[in-house]
Amino acid sequence: MTLNLTDAEMRVVEELCEKKDLSKTALLRQALRLYQLVEARIDKGEKFFFESDKTKEKSEVMML
């Protein structure tokens, strides 16, 4: 499989791989599993939020 990523996107991949000590394949597999989980929960009518530990403010993540 070939992926066509911009230089900026490739830098993000490389930075995450280094930070998480993962190969590019492992990183993309994790990203796909996360995306699949989020999509499955949204399909069931659930919402996806981030919540601030300090303020408890919630922000909904909208998926396209």
Side-chain angles (χ1 to χ4, degrees):
M1 173 160 71
T2 301
L3 293 175
N4 296 312
L5 301 175
T6 65
D7 290 341
E9 292 165 337
M10 193 62 192
R11 278 192 301 277
V12 170
V13 169
E14 290 168 349
E15 288 169 6
L16 287 170
C17 286
E18 185 174 327
K19 180 179 179 180
K20 300 293 184 179
D21 193 28
L22 295 170
S23 67
K24 291 174 185 159
T25 298
L27 180 78
L28 291 174
R29 284 180 177 151
Q30 281 191 6
L32 287 170
R33 283 194 297 270
L34 176 60
Y35 194 87
Q36 184 180 29
L37 173 69
V38 169
E39 284 292 310
R41 305 255 330 231
I42 288 172
D43 287 347
K44 290 195 284 185
E46 297 180 20
K47 293 183 179 182
F48 183 35
F49 288 92
F50 286 107
E51 182 179 7
S52 169
D53 281 339
K54 293 179 183 178
T55 66
K56 302 299 180 195
E57 180 181 1
K58 293 181 182 179
S59 300
E60 184 176 358
V61 178
M62 303 297 289
M63 303 294 288
L64 301 176

